Amino acid sequence: MEPMHLGCNMFGLYSFGPMMAKALGPETFMATYLAAGAMSSLGGMSAKLAMGKATPSLGASGAVLFLAAVTAFLRPDAEFCLIFLPFVPIPATTLLTGMVAMDLAGLILRWRRFDHGAHLAAVAAAYVYVHWGGLACANRFQAQCVAEWRELKRLLKQE
């Protein structure tokens, strides 16, 4: 990964991370972010293998794009600002549509600048997460884990 690409990813994480961590809770946010990275990496590697390449896929930008896509699906009225156009607010759905179009074009035309397969896998995973019950499942799992953690702490205090 190039330093500029990594810097943009970290800026995106800095931008979306706190809002998503507050919305999901820190534990669910971390699990979701790491799972999104793994899913986007798998998507990127699958796309590359389908094109006859065997290069690894990191999935870091896919994880950040996953957060942006979840934000866009949950809050379509939200506005994003790009690092290159910091004072121009762009509606979330417009930005997401543009990113998907660019990544589809990149995949079809075999552009090599970004991991387009990972990006598309991240947006697809975000759609499933928001619209097909992944968010509700994560919330139930988090509630169960927190309850078990509190019970464990209570038992340890008794000893």
Side-chain angles (χ1 to χ4, degrees), residues 51 100-112 114 116-117:
M51 291 188 276
V100 168
M102 183 191 76
D103 284 318
L104 280 172
L107 199 61
I108 293 167
L109 299 173
R110 297 180 185 242
W111 296 340
R112 296 182 180 176
F114 301 111
H116 303 289

Side-chain angles (χ1 to χ4, degrees), residues 111-148:
W111 296 340
R112 296 182 180 176
R113 185 92 178 139
F114 301 111
D115 193 346
H116 303 289
H119 291 176
L120 292 169
V123 173
Y127 184 86
V128 168
Y129 184 74
V130 172
H131 295 291
W132 288 359
L135 182 57
C137 180
N139 288 336
R140 284 191 308 274
F141 181 71
Q142 178 183 7
Q144 179 184 353
C145 289
V146 168
E148 290 179 17

Side-chain angles (χ1 to χ4, degrees), residues 88-100:
V88 181
I90 302 169
T93 52
T94 302
L95 182 64
L96 188 61
T97 303
M99 290 292 293
V100 168

Side-chain angles (χ1 to χ4, degrees), residues 54-115:
T55 56
S57 178
L58 186 58
S61 58
V64 174
L65 184 55
F66 175 90
L67 295 178
V70 167
T71 303
F73 291 137
L74 290 176
R75 303 254 336 260
D77 59 327
E79 292 183 330
F80 296 149
C81 291
L82 296 175
I83 195 169
F84 306 109
L85 300 169
F87 304 110
V88 181
I90 302 169
T93 52
T94 302
L95 182 64
L96 188 61
T97 303
M99 290 292 293
V100 168
M102 183 191 76
D103 284 318
L104 280 172
L107 199 61
I108 293 167
L109 299 173
R110 297 180 185 242
W111 296 340
R112 296 182 180 176
R113 185 92 178 139
F114 301 111
D115 193 346

